[in-house]
């Protein structure tokens, strides 16, 4: 509504209230316009006029922002800080709990294809997830596929704590098992060779031509796969929905949610072992 139109409405409201007041003085003796009821009459009239404009659609045409830097100049609230101290100490104690020992630095960028870091990442999820899946379904998981981008930190040589599990997996992703046929497994392998990314793999070997990178064979548990057979792969809920362009997972014939966060699976794995011994066995074999 324009400013000009608003001005017209306000003038009419004023004129209306003025006339109403004069009218009240003339018929003061009537029951409705007694002095005690006049405010109600005026308010009702104003409400009717104002609600006539209530259908107006207000559109925000400008947003102004202001950057407020939180630095040393911001005074600390000691009362809040004191309140948080016991919680902070409790969390720090939990995260600092030693779970295992790592004899070498682990870094996902240490090799072009699979490496000790990516191998451990997938091996751990397969080892912890398989007993859970078998107990619930009577079936076993054939292999594991996770995403390279999901590894968010290195693991330094030395003690492994709960904090390390949060560092390498800060997201809330959970494990899910999908049943895919052999043809889809081949599609997955082709995706691998095309993208040339060291996505963590476990329980599967992809053999490809070293010059053309075309897939020549895929083995699970030492046997070439059957394109008509259903294979069970454990992955995360992000990839299961086609994340990282892994659209082949959308062709899954079966799906089982384990309700088990990957981070907790890593904690379970570290707790289970004494010393981390990541495999160096290649999962992508170029011939």
């Amino acid at each position: 509504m324009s400013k000009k139109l608003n001005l017209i409405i306000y003038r009419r409201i004023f004129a209306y209230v003025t006339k109403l007041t004069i009218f009240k003085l003339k018929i003061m003796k009537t029951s409705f316009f007694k002095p005690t009821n006049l405010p109600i009459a005026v308010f009702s009239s104003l409400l009717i006029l104002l609600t006539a404009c209530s259908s107006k659609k207000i559109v925000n045409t400008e947003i102004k922002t202001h950057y407020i830097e939180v630095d040393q100049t911001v005074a600390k609230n000691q009362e809040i800080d004191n309140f948080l101290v016991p919680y902070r100490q409790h969390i720090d104690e939990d995260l600092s709990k030693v779970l295992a020992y790592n004899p070498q630095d682990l870094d996902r960028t240490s090799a072009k294809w699979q490496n000790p870091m990516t191998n451990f990442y997938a091996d751990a999820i397969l080892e912890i997830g398989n007993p859970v899946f078998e107990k619930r379904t009577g079936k076993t998981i054939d292999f594991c596929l996770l995403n390279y981008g999901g590894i968010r930190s290195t693991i330094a040589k030395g003690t492994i704590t709960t904090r390390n599990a949060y560092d390498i997996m800060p997201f809330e992703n959970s494990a899910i098992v999908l049943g895919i046929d052999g043809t889809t497994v081949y599609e997955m392998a082709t995706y691998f060779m095309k993208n040339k990314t060291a996505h963590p793999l476990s329980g599967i070997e992809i053999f490809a031509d070293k010059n053309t990178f075309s897939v020549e064979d895929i083995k699970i548990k030492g046997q070439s796969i059957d394109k008509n057979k259903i294979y069970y792969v454990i992955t995360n809920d992000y990839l299961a929905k086609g994340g990282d362009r892994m659209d082949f997972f959308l062709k899954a014939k079966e799906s089982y949610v384990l309700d088990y966060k990957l981070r907790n699976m890593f904690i379970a794995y570290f707790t289970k072992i004494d010393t981390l011994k990541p495999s160096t066995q290649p999962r992508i074999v170029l011939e």
Side-chain angles (χ1 to χ4, degrees), residues 154-190:
T154 59
I155 300 181
K157 178 181 178 180
T159 57
I160 298 176
T161 65
T162 304
R163 182 175 279 104
N164 289 119
Y166 277 83
D167 288 341
I168 62 175
M169 174 44 66
F171 310 113
E172 298 300 312
N173 294 114
S174 297
I176 185 169
V177 178
L178 301 176
I180 58 177
D181 58 31
T183 299
T184 305
V185 176
Y186 261 95
E187 188 177 338
M188 179 203 77
T190 301

Side-chain angles (χ1 to χ4, degrees), residues 66-230:
H66 180 62
Y67 179 74
I68 302 176
E69 185 174 358
V70 179
D71 54 21
Q72 297 299 326
T73 62
V74 179
K76 181 171 67 173
N77 188 312
Q78 193 60 48
E79 183 178 357
I80 295 178
D81 194 59
N82 292 339
F83 175 79
L84 294 175
V85 165
Y87 298 97
R88 186 183 296 115
Q89 291 177 342
H90 178 72
I91 292 174
D92 189 60
E93 289 175 3
D94 283 348
L95 294 178
S96 299
K97 183 180 179 180
V98 176
L99 305 177
Y101 176 76
N102 176 33
Q104 61 178 305
D105 291 334
L106 295 178
D107 188 339
R108 68 177 186 175
T109 64
S110 62
K112 178 178 176 58
W113 294 100
Q114 274 61 49
N115 55 68
M117 180 64 173
T118 58
N119 285 353
F120 136 74
Y121 202 79
D123 288 347
I125 298 303
L126 180 59
E127 182 172 330
I128 297 300
N130 192 50
V132 177
F133 181 67
E134 186 173 13
K135 183 177 181 180
R136 294 183 187 178
T137 67
K139 305 173 184 178
T140 58
I141 301 172
D142 295 297
F143 68 100
C144 174
L145 167 59
L146 298 168
N147 55 318
Y148 179 82
I151 308 174
R152 308 304 290 186
S153 177
T154 59
I155 300 181
K157 178 181 178 180
T159 57
I160 298 176
T161 65
T162 304
R163 182 175 279 104
N164 289 119
Y166 277 83
D167 288 341
I168 62 175
M169 174 44 66
F171 310 113
E172 298 300 312
N173 294 114
S174 297
I176 185 169
V177 178
L178 301 176
I180 58 177
D181 58 31
T183 299
T184 305
V185 176
Y186 261 95
E187 188 177 338
M188 179 203 77
T190 301
Y191 163 89
F192 247 87
M193 304 315 301
K194 180 180 179 180
N195 286 271
K196 302 179 179 63
T197 302
H199 293 301
L201 280 174
S202 181
I204 188 172
E205 293 176 293
I206 300 174
F207 297 85
D209 186 280
K210 63 181 180 180
N211 298 313
T212 64
F213 294 101
S214 59
V215 178
E216 297 181 340
D217 193 15
I218 303 173
K219 290 186 178 181
I220 294 177
K221 298 176 182 176
Q223 300 293 323
S224 295
I225 67 168
D226 180 347
K227 291 187 177 182
N228 297 314
K229 182 181 176 181
I230 296 296

